[in-house]
Amino acid sequence: MIAPVVAVDRQGPDPLHKQIYDGFRTAIVLGNLRPGQRVPSSRSLGEELKISRLPVLNAYGQLTAEGYFESRTGAGTFVSESLPESLTICKQTPPPAASISSGPRPIARRSLLLPEYQRPLWAGGWGAFSLHQPAFDHFPFPIWSGLLMRHSRSPRWGAIHNVDPLGSETFRQAICDYLRTARAVRCEPGQVMVVSGSQHALEISARVLLGKGSAIWMEEPGYWLARKVFSGAGCRMVPVPVDEEGLMVSAGIKRCPAARAVYVTPSHQYPLGATMSAARRMQLLNWAQSAGSWIIEDDYDSEYRFESAPISSLQGLDGNERVIYIGTFSKVLFPSLRLGYLVIPRDLVGHFSAVRSAMDIFPPYLYQEAITDFMREGHFARHIRKMRLLYGERRTALVDSLRERLGAKVKVHGAQAGMHLAITLPEGFSDLEVANRAAGKGLWLWPLSPSYLGKSPRQGLILGFGNTAVEEMPRAVSQLRAMLER
Amino acid sequence: MIAPVVAVDRQGPDPLHKQIYDGFRTAIVLGNLRPGQRVPSSRSLGEELKISRLPVLNAYGQLTAEGYFESRTGAGTFVSESLPESLTICKQTPPPAASISSGPRPIARRSLLLPEYQRPLWAGGWGAFSLHQPAFDHFPFPIWSGLLMRHSRSPRWGAIHNVDPLGSETFRQAICDYLRTARAVRCEPGQVMVVSGSQHALEISARVLLGKGSAIWMEEPGYWLARKVFSGAGCRMVPVPVDEEGLMVSAGIKRCPAARAVYVTPSHQYPLGATMSAARRMQLLNWAQSAGSWIIEDDYDSEYRFESAPISSLQGLDGNERVIYIGTFSKVLFPSLRLGYLVIPRDLVGHFSAVRSAMDIFPPYLYQEAITDFMREGHFARHIRKMRLLYGERRTALVDSLRERLGAKVKVHGAQAGMHLAITLPEGFSDLEVANRAAGKGLWLWPLSPSYLGKSPRQGLILGFGNTAVEEMPRAVSQLRAMLER
């Protein structure tokens, strides 16, 4: 049991038992010790405070007599469940945060660039259509937990001592092997940095590459969480429209030819789902080289293509090391793992490492060890293959249900890959209104319009299908239809 | 097995087998497929590419005939270990990073505030005197790994779905219970944010509170990793000297009365080890309230006091919510866990959450679940008690050995708490020179002088004793003496 902070001073004016009594009384009044909480035995507190047991016994006696403590036979001494009312009131009503006292409370100007955090209503829960949700119940948790066991019961000392800001060397080697083969990424382990997800990768990239006022092309519509990073960094975000071939590079060149960087999701454009064509990829790489710009390639959802073979990454097509490549384990494993990686142009590794080291020093060891084995022993490839089939079926079930139950009312976008698709709504609908209303009924629909930077966004919904079984799809789509009927 | 990216286009000018042949050849030439790497069977590649097996067989035959592939009976097909030399040369010598092509490669000005990452020589390994190393071999790994197993084999869905930027509610409740009791911190779970260590906590605090040019008091000497955060944020760091009572508050007031914040390590000042006196604590709190400033309290090493009872935190003495309280699990568990927490003034929770959410969204679930149980089931308190005894013994052994073998040559500082102490060296020694020389012999001594912001720092060494057994101490100190004799 944790001993409470009780200051005793042998040279103090008060006798020790009085000091102990006061210490406990104050802790209870301030709410540091709470009703029902156990306190140490008089013997162990005496040891802790390096004093004899007698004054402790004395103080405990008085605290019990006055109703602060109660002893339960065989169980020990506790703070009373029924404390004098005056105390309880004081404890239960701390002054509200708004009343925090006088005096200036200045915060940084750049922190005002981000609005105070508030979770949108429609992001409140999970279930059919929730975004970014893999099929948790198909993940091989027993295998996974066996690997965690292997590396936590008797850890490799080299792993537990590793403090490299890039992460574990063996893990980075496994990531390289995977990326070279599956994504044609050109990399060596010395360029790979293990981070806690793609958001962290974006944050580090922005810190190294972008300053206040730096212009960056953003896909329009695009990924709202990426926008948080760039707006928090004070960048000037230039919306560049997307079509069925992905980012419209010539529109970008027209609007802002000298942007410092571009943020792009070429495998499965978020949220509309286009795959960037080979021609656009070459055009983007050529522009970046001639403009001296950086390409931040967020290659999420590259694992799950349903119709065609995957297209190699932008990074692999680039001969000038202008691409910062970002990947995540959130889709293949699960998001609450918080693990992803960056592939960094070689001349920037020292800068990326400096920023990472200042930000959170290095990544935790255990997941790195476990995923290395998960990859090396074939579980990773096997799970991807299995999930590609599963998500393909769920996708088909959703598209069929939408056609059947909503027909011409909605248009489906981007169902060729990944774990979500988008639908656009007919004239007259407000997606925010639909999403908020649906959230009230426990149906989590993400509105499309907040994905737009510019005015007059399209109205639509982004529907996740990763964690919804084929047989549940018709019922879920009926619920969705009900939301669109009212 | 992961299938390589091979683009096939049924409408293309080349026949499929030629496209597959070209795809593999290019992947091998670029080094995306490496000698000895297994390739998928012709059947499974055909399935992956959604084409018949015939053109795949055809291409594999040609690649084998030309020496790119080799088949091993019963084991499958592999990229040849012995590739034509011209290829091998091309693959093994990528152009050096320095030769990366023409064109501007601009990075952010603020990223130049941090020098490119390079690990100091003396931080290169672990062993006697290494800093920040708990007694790994005394950590109850079997219990710990059992808890990880419990929460990874069949995870609680609420935990795996949690995306709160503050972290898991039950974990925050457990942290509150601990902090209220052990550190007299006044907090509710809604003010606690789970982060990946104290460095991450500092980074988030700096983002919210400090802008370019904001003045911040820094302990002199002080914690070099904290300096990285504040210099990366463009702050003006004001060195404020420390004495045996900790930070000399009046010196700070004289040098910079209107600083925006102060960074302080009151439990065990880093690196000299003083505990801040009650008088100085009150003086600091009064200054902060009258100047409208923030106190960033890094309460590391509060768990391990050897002589006296712990003193309650600054946060607990503060009636004006001006303290940002930072704690870590790195010392009680181990650093490569990457887990710590912030206690945030209530009016700032929305800003801290916004910054955290933009930075890396939310913390990973598994450790939070496991440590909650580790705390609730008493392992945490038990381990702290055990380690307090152990580190106390190691501390005494080190101090005794230093007296015996180095005598009046060195002065010992800050041995009353924590897992390290500092020694100052007599006139004429350069601690950097000693540390670099020792590193050459595999002895990891951290020099004191880099802990100073100002000129003419004291020369000394910071000696960790957490991970060195009592019986190893005399030999380690003899090694240290040898370093000081040359």
Side-chain angles (χ1 to χ4, degrees):
Chain A
M1 194 185 345
I2 295 289
V5 200
V6 180
V8 291
D9 179 0
R10 248 174 279 249
Q11 270 77 54
D14 288 331
L16 289 177
H17 72 88
K18 174 76 164 61
Q19 295 183 33
I20 295 166
Y21 168 85
D22 284 345
F24 273 103
R25 201 182 163 284
T26 310
I28 292 168
V29 171
L30 290 175
N32 290 338
L33 292 177
R34 306 254 159 140
Q37 186 173 339
R38 199 170 146 204
V39 297
S41 71
S42 51
R43 192 171 54 80
S44 80
L45 186 67
E47 278 169 14
E48 190 88 32
L49 300 178
K50 298 185 171 59
I51 58 175
S52 93
R53 192 183 168 192
L54 205 68
V56 183
L57 268 176
N58 213 320
Y60 276 31
Q62 193 180 346
L63 289 159
T64 310
E66 291 181 13
Y68 292 102
F69 280 6
E70 60 194 14
S71 27
R72 299 182 200 156
T73 322
T77 306
F78 295 78
V79 178
S80 294
E81 294 279 7
S82 55
L83 281 171
E85 202 174 334
S86 57
L87 286 180
T88 328
I89 284 165
C90 155
K91 184 191 67 57
Q92 282 180 353
T93 51
S99 78
I100 287 173
S101 76
S102 55
R105 301 176 70 82
I107 67 168
R109 217 172 311 150
R110 62 179 172 154
S111 122
L112 297 172
L113 293 170
L114 290 172
E116 288 195 47
Y117 179 82
Q118 210 169 10
R119 201 160 176 213
L121 213 54
W122 59 81
W126 66 88
F129 306 138
S130 282
L131 273 191
H132 315 306
Q133 307 254 320
F136 294 105
D137 50 343
H138 288 255
F139 184 75
F141 282 109
I143 291 171
W144 174 239
S145 104
L147 295 175
L148 291 173
M149 186 82 165
R150 181 190 295 171
H151 293 286
S152 60
R153 179 170 261 282
S154 44
R156 200 163 60 83
W157 293 121
I160 214 166
H161 280 289
N162 177 58
V163 297
D164 192 327
L166 293 176
S168 138
E169 166 99 27
T170 47
F171 184 41
R172 288 183 281 122
Q173 183 66 62
I175 293 172
C176 275
D177 290 349
Y178 168 67
L179 291 179
R180 281 189 208 119
T181 307
R183 307 296 307 127
V185 167
R186 302 187 65 177
C187 58
E188 298 299 330
Q191 298 172 261
V192 175
M193 179 181 281
V194 178
V195 295
S196 39
S198 55
Q199 191 74 14
H200 195 207
L202 286 172
E203 172 71 24
I204 295 170
S205 306
R207 277 288 289 268
V208 174
L209 303 174
L210 304 168
K212 209 176 137 199
S214 299
I216 177 165
W217 291 1
M218 300 294 288
E219 294 169 326
E220 175 81 341
Y223 184 44
W224 62 293
L225 275 172
R227 288 215 309 257
K228 282 198 190 186
V229 171
F230 302 120
S231 67
C235 298
R236 185 160 65 86
M237 289 185 280
V238 180
V240 175
V242 297
D243 62 13
E244 350 29 80
E245 286 191 68
L247 188 81
M248 296 173 71
V249 179
S250 8
I253 296 173
K254 205 177 270 174
R255 284 182 199 192
C256 181
R260 166 77 61 93
V262 52
Y263 169 75
V264 70
T265 54
S267 276
H268 188 222
Q269 197 273 326
Y270 184 92
L272 292 182
T275 301
M276 196 176 205
S277 68
R280 289 276 174 84
R281 285 173 197 246
M282 291 318 299
Q283 198 187 356
L284 188 63
L285 288 165
N286 289 337
W287 164 76
Q289 175 59 8
S290 68
S293 306
W294 302 106
I295 297 171
I296 301 174
E297 176 178 24
D298 184 345
D299 203 27
Y300 93 102
D301 270 359
S302 62
E303 302 86 4
Y304 302 130
R305 294 204 59 75
F306 307 129
E307 266 90 37
S308 52
I311 296 180
S312 77
S313 61
L314 272 165
Q315 200 271 7
L317 298 170
D318 169 28
N320 301 299
E321 305 209 28
R322 294 214 164 263
V323 177
I324 291 88
Y325 180 90
I326 293 175
T328 177
F329 289 100
S330 290
K331 315 290 168 183
V332 180
L333 284 90
F334 44 90
S336 52
L337 192 69
R338 311 308 305 131
L339 213 69
Y341 45 83
L342 275 163
V343 181
I344 307 163
R346 287 171 299 157
D347 57 330
L348 297 184
V349 170
H351 293 294
F352 273 76
S353 298
V355 163
R356 196 291 150 72
S357 168
M359 197 179 279
D360 65 351
I361 323 191
F362 65 99
Y365 93 97
L366 181 60
Y367 284 154
Q368 301 188 73
E369 294 281 288
I371 302 184
T372 305
D373 288 358
F374 195 76
M375 295 174 99
R376 295 263 187 254
E377 294 172 13
H379 306 297
F380 187 74
R382 205 169 303 125
H383 187 60
I384 290 179
R385 264 202 310 279
K386 225 176 91 184
M387 290 303 100
R388 195 186 291 139
L389 283 177
L390 184 79
Y391 295 146
E393 288 164 15
R394 291 181 174 187
R395 185 275 319 251
T396 305
L398 175 56
V399 172
D400 290 351
S401 279
L402 287 171
R403 272 208 201 106
E404 206 175 292
R405 274 150 223 258
L406 286 161
K409 207 169 193 174
V410 302
K411 205 187 151 209
V412 172
H413 306 260
Q416 297 79 35
M419 288 156 45
H420 69 81
L421 53 76
I423 57 175
T424 38
L425 298 174
E427 202 68 24
F429 276 97
S430 152
D431 54 12
L432 280 169
E433 190 271 329
V434 172
N436 281 326
R437 193 149 40 78
K441 309 235 170 206
L443 189 67
W444 313 104
L445 305 171
W446 286 57
L448 177 63
S449 60
S451 304
Y452 285 81
L453 269 171
K455 279 167 197 162
S456 54
R458 275 205 269 184
Q459 304 292 313
L461 298 167
I462 311 171
L463 306 177
F465 50 78
N467 200 19
T468 309
V470 166
E471 53 277 17
E472 289 168 27
M473 216 59 94
R475 208 176 58 87
V477 173
S478 297
Q479 281 185 284
L480 166 61
R481 183 178 58 188
M483 289 301 141
L484 296 176
E485 267 164 4
R486 291 195 33 184
Chain B
M1 197 182 346
I2 296 289
V5 201
V6 179
V8 292
D9 178 0
R10 249 173 278 250
Q11 270 77 54
D14 287 333
L16 288 178
H17 71 88
K18 174 75 164 64
Q19 294 183 34
I20 295 165
Y21 167 85
D22 285 344
F24 274 103
R25 202 183 162 284
T26 310
I28 291 168
V29 169
L30 289 175
N32 291 337
L33 293 177
R34 307 251 158 144
Q37 187 174 340
R38 202 171 143 203
V39 297
S41 70
S42 53
R43 193 172 52 81
S44 80
L45 187 67
E47 278 169 14
E48 190 88 32
L49 300 177
K50 300 187 168 59
I51 58 176
S52 93
R53 191 184 170 192
L54 206 67
V56 182
L57 268 177
N58 214 319
Y60 275 32
Q62 193 179 347
L63 288 159
T64 309
E66 292 181 11
Y68 292 102
F69 281 5
E70 60 193 15
S71 26
R72 300 183 199 155
T73 322
T77 305
F78 295 79
V79 179
S80 294
E81 294 279 7
S82 54
L83 281 170
E85 201 175 334
S86 57
L87 286 180
T88 328
I89 286 165
C90 155
K91 184 191 68 56
Q92 283 179 351
T93 51
S99 80
I100 287 172
S101 76
S102 54
R105 301 176 70 82
I107 67 169
R109 217 172 311 151
R110 64 178 170 153
S111 120
L112 296 173
L113 294 171
L114 290 171
E116 288 195 47
Y117 178 81
Q118 210 170 9
R119 201 161 174 212
L121 212 53
W122 59 83
W126 65 88
F129 305 138
S130 282
L131 273 191
H132 315 305
Q133 307 254 321
F136 293 107
D137 50 344
H138 288 255
F139 184 74
F141 282 109
I143 291 172
W144 175 240
S145 108
L147 295 175
L148 291 172
M149 186 84 166
R150 181 190 295 172
H151 293 286
S152 60
R153 179 170 263 280
S154 45
R156 199 163 60 82
W157 294 121
I160 213 165
H161 280 289
N162 178 57
V163 297
D164 191 326
L166 292 177
S168 140
E169 166 100 26
T170 47
F171 184 40
R172 288 184 280 122
Q173 183 66 63
I175 293 172
C176 276
D177 291 348
Y178 168 67
L179 291 180
R180 281 190 208 118
T181 307
R183 308 296 306 128
V185 167
R186 303 187 65 175
C187 58
E188 298 299 330
Q191 297 171 263
V192 175
M193 177 181 282
V194 179
V195 295
S196 39
S198 55
Q199 191 74 16
H200 195 208
L202 285 172
E203 172 71 25
I204 296 171
S205 306
R207 278 289 288 269
V208 175
L209 303 175
L210 304 167
K212 210 177 136 196
S214 299
I216 178 166
W217 293 0
M218 299 295 287
E219 294 168 327
E220 175 80 343
Y223 184 45
W224 63 293
L225 275 172
R227 288 215 309 257
K228 282 199 189 184
V229 170
F230 303 120
S231 68
C235 298
R236 184 161 65 84
M237 289 185 281
V238 179
V240 176
V242 296
D243 62 13
E244 6 7 275
E245 286 191 66
L247 189 79
M248 296 172 70
V249 180
S250 9
I253 296 175
K254 204 177 268 176
R255 283 180 200 193
C256 182
R260 168 74 62 92
V262 52
Y263 169 74
V264 70
T265 54
S267 277
H268 189 221
Q269 197 273 328
Y270 184 92
L272 291 183
T275 302
M276 197 177 203
S277 68
R280 289 277 174 83
R281 284 173 198 246
M282 292 318 300
Q283 198 187 357
L284 188 63
L285 288 165
N286 289 338
W287 165 75
Q289 175 60 7
S290 67
S293 306
W294 302 105
I295 297 171
I296 301 174
E297 177 178 23
D298 184 345
D299 202 27
Y300 91 102
D301 271 358
S302 62
E303 302 85 4
Y304 302 131
R305 293 203 61 73
F306 306 129
E307 266 90 39
S308 52
I311 296 180
S312 77
S313 63
L314 272 165
Q315 200 270 7
L317 298 171
D318 170 27
N320 301 299
E321 306 209 26
R322 295 215 164 262
V323 177
I324 291 88
Y325 180 91
I326 294 176
T328 176
F329 288 100
S330 290
K331 314 290 167 183
V332 180
L333 285 89
F334 44 89
S336 52
L337 192 71
R338 312 307 306 129
L339 213 71
Y341 46 84
L342 275 163
V343 181
I344 306 163
R346 286 171 301 156
D347 57 331
L348 298 184
V349 169
H351 292 295
F352 273 77
S353 298
V355 163
R356 194 291 152 70
S357 168
M359 196 179 279
D360 66 351
I361 321 189
F362 65 99
Y365 93 96
L366 181 60
Y367 283 155
Q368 301 189 70
E369 295 282 287
I371 301 187
T372 304
D373 288 357
F374 195 75
M375 295 175 99
R376 294 262 187 254
E377 295 173 13
H379 306 296
F380 188 74
R382 205 170 305 126
H383 188 59
I384 289 180
R385 262 202 310 279
K386 225 176 91 184
M387 291 302 102
R388 195 185 292 139
L389 283 177
L390 184 78
Y391 295 146
E393 288 164 13
R394 291 181 172 185
R395 185 275 318 251
T396 305
L398 175 56
V399 172
D400 290 351
S401 279
L402 287 171
R403 270 204 203 110
E404 204 175 295
R405 274 148 223 258
L406 287 160
K409 208 168 193 173
V410 302
K411 200 184 156 212
V412 173
H413 306 260
Q416 298 78 34
M419 288 155 46
H420 69 79
L421 54 76
I423 57 176
T424 39
L425 298 174
E427 202 69 22
F429 275 97
S430 152
D431 55 12
L432 282 168
E433 191 271 330
V434 172
N436 281 325
R437 195 149 39 80
K441 309 236 171 207
L443 188 68
W444 312 105
L445 304 171
W446 287 57
L448 177 64
S449 61
S451 303
Y452 285 81
L453 269 170
K455 279 166 196 162
S456 55
R458 276 206 268 184
Q459 303 293 312
L461 298 168
I462 310 171
L463 306 177
F465 51 78
N467 200 19
T468 308
V470 165
E471 52 278 17
E472 289 167 28
M473 217 57 94
R475 208 176 58 87
V477 173
S478 297
Q479 281 185 286
L480 167 61
R481 183 178 58 186
M483 289 300 142
L484 295 176
E485 268 165 3
R486 290 195 36 182

